[in-house]
Amino acid sequence: MSRSVVSIREAVAADVPCLLDMWTELRHHGVRRATRTSSEQLLAEVAHGYVDAIGDESCRLVVATAGADILGMALFTIVSSSTLLDVPTVQVSHMYVVDGHRKRGVGKSLVAAAVSYAEERGVDQVMVSVAPGARDANRFYARLGFAPTVVRRVAPTAVLRRQLAAEEGAPTALRRELRLRREALVGAQRKPASERLPRAGS
């Protein structure tokens, strides 16, 4: 497939089944998180999310195509890159290129579409989240000029609660040990010099 035949267009409702297939592949390749939601319910929620995104003027859901085939997708939204300052940034998410069509310009075409969207909205930055273990993706974005800013870590609340409870006693034990050491040191310093020095012949 030639790079020149790749084109980008906005997604339409008829694309949703294909978008769901790509989302399933993206989820399989990415970090799996435990969920109580059934697969059918989860797919229904994602499908509803894609339909909403297609009709939402505040974001843009695009697909990369070659003829009638959809080869990739990406969702562009405008977010703030800072929690304290209003720094608008185009966030690229749900970006995926179908297996067998990578390294053929599809990913670059999607990034170019993100740049065009940012320019259209008067935004100076484009941001993308990449899994730390996705070496090919990290190299791809690095070559295009994306620099790392922060490492985001995610943990289920139940795991955090268990971990916090398990470590709750650790600081107390450490403080007790340090207090005993300080008391022993102070006690030794308060002894008369004759008691602190070793006796001759001992």
Side-chain angles (χ1 to χ4, degrees):
M1 183 187 71
S2 171
R3 292 171 182 259
S4 62
V5 302
V6 177
S7 60
I8 304 294
R9 64 169 173 81
E10 292 190 38
V12 297
D15 298 327
V16 171
C18 187
L19 294 173
L20 286 176
D21 288 341
M22 287 189 287
W23 178 84
T24 301
E25 293 180 17
L26 177 63
R27 184 167 179 258
H28 176 74
H29 288 294
V31 179
R32 296 184 181 182
R33 297 189 180 93
T35 176
R36 297 179 182 179
T37 308
S38 66
S39 298
E40 294 78 10
Q41 182 181 349
L42 189 58
L43 281 174
E45 292 177 359
V46 174
H48 183 71
Y50 280 140
V51 171
D52 285 348
I54 289 170
D56 189 347
E57 294 184 356
S58 67
C59 64
R60 182 170 297 171
L61 180 61
V62 301
V63 291
T65 64
D69 297 326
I70 294 179
L71 309 180
M73 66 174 179
L75 176 63
F76 310 145
T77 53
I78 297 179
V79 300
S80 177
S81 61
S82 172
T83 56
L84 297 178
L85 302 175
D86 185 16
V87 183
T89 302
V90 169
Q91 167 74 53
V92 181
S93 61
H94 291 245
M95 181 158 163
Y96 187 72
V97 176
V98 175
D99 288 342
H101 295 282
R102 293 177 187 137
K103 298 182 179 180
R104 297 182 179 182
V106 180
K108 287 184 179 179
S109 296
L110 289 167
V111 173
V115 174
S116 297
Y117 180 73
E119 293 171 340
E120 176 187 325
R121 295 302 180 98
V123 177
D124 295 330
Q125 296 184 116
V126 177
M127 177 173 62
V128 62
S129 298
V130 192
R135 290 179 296 178
D136 289 342
N138 276 288
R139 284 196 293 265
F140 168 75
Y141 290 117
R143 284 197 302 269
L144 291 179
F146 286 89
T149 54
V150 298
V151 176
R152 291 184 176 179
R153 296 180 182 272
V154 180
T157 54
V159 172
L160 285 174
R161 181 62 64 192
R162 287 195 301 269
Q163 191 66 22
L164 289 168
E167 295 188 1
E168 191 174 89
T172 302
L174 180 59
R175 286 196 297 271
R176 184 183 301 112
E177 181 181 352
L178 292 175
R179 187 181 70 251
L180 292 174
R181 289 183 181 180
R182 284 197 301 270
E183 291 175 353
L185 180 60
V186 171
Q189 291 175 344
R190 287 178 178 175
K191 290 182 179 181
S194 58
E195 295 184 19
R196 294 200 303 267
L197 295 175
R199 296 179 180 178
S202 60

